[in-house]
Amino acid sequence: MNRDTSGVTAQRNVWLRDPGPSEGNVRTRLFCFPFAGGGAGAFRSWAAHLADVAEVLPVLLPGRDERHREPLATDLDDLAGRMADDLADWCRPPYALYGHSMGAQLAYRFVHALADRGAPLPGLLVVAAHRAPHQPPMLPLSYSLPRDGLVERLREFGATPAPVLDNEGILDFFLPIIRADFALSELSPEYGYDLTLPVPVLALGGVDDPLVTEDQVRAWSLHTASRFQAQMFPGSHFFQAENEQLVMDLLRSELRRLGTQS
């Protein structure tokens, strides 16, 4: 059993790991969507950083973490729809979403799926290290690269430790997951300008990201009919790890404001 922020117990949900520590009077939830090849562990330290303003809920995707025996997802909108069906009861205001890279794309589709079902929408969508939804992916596509090319691209990203990329046994396990995630993201149809959301959007990027330019980060403004803000940080595609305290300070400020608005 998990205890929700209103003091009511809720059944364990397959999409969520048990929440980390938060202060007893915190009502705001922050759902965190991982990058391609990533899992809930990417947000391990966030619960402690944000304990005073939010309950941090990393999202568990099929094919990794506790769900490693399940088939990997192959359709982004189907995945977002299944999540919306199962998580709608957890999405009670005030709450926010954070998605990094592929996770940003999934979080955006998740909001659309919630809207299609008439569920309450988040008070804030934070999208990090991803192009705006109407923009095509960078070529050549990562999912179709040969093994050596895919490993080299992962080296460029800078998040995967060198001992992992140099270990053929680990790569045999890891590469099919990340290749499937890249296909999930890169083969998904772009969304047009007309599919704007009535949800505030905070778009984050790294100034040295080889995959996502500042213009692509700011282009997220076309997909919200509400407040928009863009913030660039020093660093590359995984700037959030390079500047964790700066990112946490920004999120804490936004989540505190969200909590006081509800």
Side-chain angles (χ1 to χ4, degrees):
M1 303 288 280
N2 293 327
R3 186 181 62 80
D4 70 20
T5 49
S6 64
V8 179
T9 56
Q11 294 293 329
R12 188 184 305 276
N13 192 295
V14 68
W15 298 97
L16 301 175
R17 177 170 287 177
D18 285 342
S22 60
E23 296 185 0
N25 60 347
V26 169
R27 296 187 302 116
T28 304
R29 283 174 167 162
L30 176 65
F31 296 86
C32 298
F33 297 72
F35 46 84
F43 306 102
R44 184 178 296 110
S45 64
W46 288 32
H49 278 293
L50 301 173
D52 59 326
V53 291
E55 179 183 37
V56 176
L57 296 172
V59 173
L60 299 172
L61 299 181
R64 70 213 74 200
D65 296 319
E66 292 91 324
R67 305 180 66 185
H68 66 278
R69 297 184 184 277
E70 298 180 32
L72 293 160
T74 58
D75 184 281
L76 199 68
D77 287 317
D78 175 72
L79 178 61
R82 288 190 285 132
M83 293 175 62
D85 288 337
D86 293 342
L87 287 174
D89 288 344
W90 287 72
C91 296
R92 296 192 299 274
Y95 76 97
L97 309 179
Y98 174 95
H100 196 94
S101 197
M102 180 195 76
Q105 189 180 15
L106 177 56
Y108 174 77
R109 303 292 181 97
F110 178 61
V111 180
H112 278 287
L114 289 171
D116 290 343
R117 289 155 175 77
L121 301 183
L124 178 67
L125 170 63
V126 185
V127 289
H130 200 279
R131 66 191 186 277
H134 64 280
Q135 297 171 323
M138 180 184 73
L139 298 175
L141 299 179
S142 297
Y143 91 95
S144 59
L145 290 172
R147 182 182 177 102
D148 290 347
L150 182 56
V151 170
E152 184 57 34
R153 179 154 290 184
L154 294 177
R155 290 190 195 277
E156 294 174 5
F157 294 170
T160 308
V164 171
L165 297 178
D166 293 335
N167 186 307
E168 294 299 321
I170 295 177
L171 287 177
D172 287 342
F173 172 79
F174 176 63
L175 287 184
I177 296 174
I178 197 162
R179 193 182 293 278
D181 280 356
F182 280 140
L184 183 69
S185 173
E186 293 172 341
L187 297 180
S188 181
E190 289 85 37
Y191 268 36
Y193 296 96
D194 56 328
L195 295 173
T196 57
L197 292 168
V199 171
V201 171
L202 171 61
L204 310 179
V207 295
D208 296 318
D209 189 341
L211 298 178
V212 185
T213 67
E214 181 173 352
D215 286 344
Q216 289 176 314
V217 171
R218 295 189 181 278
W220 277 95
S221 63
L222 300 173
H223 295 271
T224 176
S226 185
R227 178 175 64 93
F228 175 78
Q229 179 184 352
Q231 178 70 51
M232 302 299 292
F233 290 88
S236 188
H237 194 65
F238 293 96
F239 62 85
Q240 87 292 357
E242 302 170 62
N243 305 275
E244 185 171 75
Q245 191 58 58
L246 289 175
V247 173
M248 291 300 101
D249 289 345
L250 176 60
L251 291 181
R252 181 180 296 105
S253 175
E254 292 292 331
L255 291 166
R256 181 176 290 116
R257 171 162 58 176
L258 178 59
T260 59
Q261 290 174 348
S262 302

